[in-house]
Amino acid sequence: MQWDKVKNILIAILLTINLFLLGNLAVRGWQSHRRTSELEANLRTLVSARGMQLDTAFSFPEDITLPELSLDRSRADEEKIAAAMLGEHAERTEQEDGTVRFESDRGTLEWQADGNVQADYTLTESAPTSASEALEQARRLCSRWGFQAEQAGWTAEDTVVTLTGSVAGLPVHNRRLTLDFSAGDGSVSLVGLWSFGTPYTTANGISITCSAADALLQFAAESGETGKIESMTAGYRMQTDSSRRIRLTPTWKIDTETGEYLVDCDKKTIIGEEN
């Protein structure tokens, strides 16, 4: 009998503690939601004062901390793609700045040290005449040549197709390839910025907090743009340092009704338009 009383008391205490914890969690969640709503309302007011507006569908992203990453240039992968595109016996020349050029009767391919690539390729099949045909043919060509991307994204407008891909699960905003079939001479041109291999952190690598509010206010203050801001996405930007090492720098991409812009998370500087 005595044990039944003790057991009931313990159950009542546990229920009381659980109710207290649930109530505390609910209050914190409500307070967090209220702070987010107040911050977004204040940001809308401040952005509006700069001549811009947040779109009604704009979703304010959470802050995120990202490490700076590095990538090594892979000449082996570059040469594999050149062989797949232009043939095993393509002529190879290298310039002092690290640019490597391949050429054959199928076309030309040029890789720069910072990851920029451009090529002209003679098609072995009819050139596409619509966005759907261009998208299908671009997929086949990129697969045949060896361009691969984690979580690849494809967009097509008329006969121009763009391939994008993420690194470490996050988008690299300026890592993209554009295939243009519109020349009308049976060829396709390829241009863009690309990378290979797995990114890594260095011994002196640092982590950078990407503050959405800071980036948004900096953009509104300095961009000189007017109109609507539609969305913003945290990710990386490929760039080359003084030692020609490719780095992935934490960067916001801000989409507006007139174009896409990049804002460096660390320096809070606008990198430029990425159309």
Side-chain angles (χ1 to χ4, degrees), residues 53-72:
Q53 293 180 337
L54 298 182
D55 190 82
T56 53
F58 180 88
S59 178
F60 194 72
E62 295 183 0
D63 295 350
I64 184 173
T65 299
L66 298 174
E68 281 193 328
L69 301 174
S70 295
L71 278 170
D72 293 325

Side-chain angles (χ1 to χ4, degrees), residues 110-112 114-119 147 163 174-179 189-195 238:
E110 185 175 282
W111 287 100
Q112 297 179 18
D114 60 2
N116 272 291
V117 56
Q118 56 185 18
F147 284 107
L163 166 65
N174 59 344
R175 182 179 184 249
R176 62 179 68 180
L177 293 175
T178 299
L179 291 86
S189 67
L190 179 148
V191 65
L193 186 67
W194 206 248
S195 62
M238 277 182 64

Side-chain angles (χ1 to χ4, degrees), residues 24-77:
N24 190 45
L25 185 63
V27 169
R28 289 191 177 189
W30 175 78
Q31 290 176 337
S32 176
H33 175 72
R34 187 182 66 177
R35 285 195 297 269
T36 301
S37 298
E38 289 176 349
L39 176 61
E40 184 169 339
N42 291 334
L43 284 172
R44 286 184 181 275
T45 300
L46 292 170
V47 168
S48 179
R50 298 288 185 175
M52 301 195 74
Q53 293 180 337
L54 298 182
D55 190 82
T56 53
F58 180 88
S59 178
F60 194 72
E62 295 183 0
D63 295 350
I64 184 173
T65 299
L66 298 174
E68 281 193 328
L69 301 174
S70 295
L71 278 170
D72 293 325
R73 181 182 184 183
S74 175
R75 293 177 181 262
D77 285 318

Side-chain angles (χ1 to χ4, degrees), residues 196-261:
F196 303 97
T198 303
Y200 58 90
T201 57
T202 59
N204 59 348
I206 61 173
S207 293
I208 295 171
T209 298
C210 294
S211 167
D214 288 350
L216 194 60
L217 290 176
Q218 194 73 20
F219 176 75
E222 297 187 6
S223 67
E225 289 292 304
T226 58
K228 291 183 180 180
I229 297 174
E230 298 172 343
S231 65
M232 58 189 302
T233 308
Y236 285 100
R237 180 182 85 258
M238 277 182 64
Q239 62 177 13
T240 307
D241 61 19
S242 57
S243 61
R244 292 187 180 178
R245 174 176 292 173
I246 298 175
R247 296 190 181 278
L248 298 179
T249 303
T251 301
W252 286 104
K253 178 168 74 74
I254 297 180
D255 293 280
T256 75
E257 58 185 354
T258 59
E260 301 175 357
Y261 297 82

Side-chain angles (χ1 to χ4, degrees), residues 78-93:
E78 295 173 2
E79 295 195 3
K80 285 180 182 178
I81 287 179
M85 180 187 292
L86 304 177
E88 295 287 346
H89 303 293
E91 182 181 350
R92 180 187 186 279
T93 57

Side-chain angles (χ1 to χ4, degrees), residues 143-161:
S143 176
R144 185 189 310 160
W145 296 335
F147 284 107
Q148 297 179 349
E150 177 189 346
Q151 299 176 354
W154 296 87
T155 57
E157 184 174 349
D158 295 328
T159 55
V160 178
V161 181

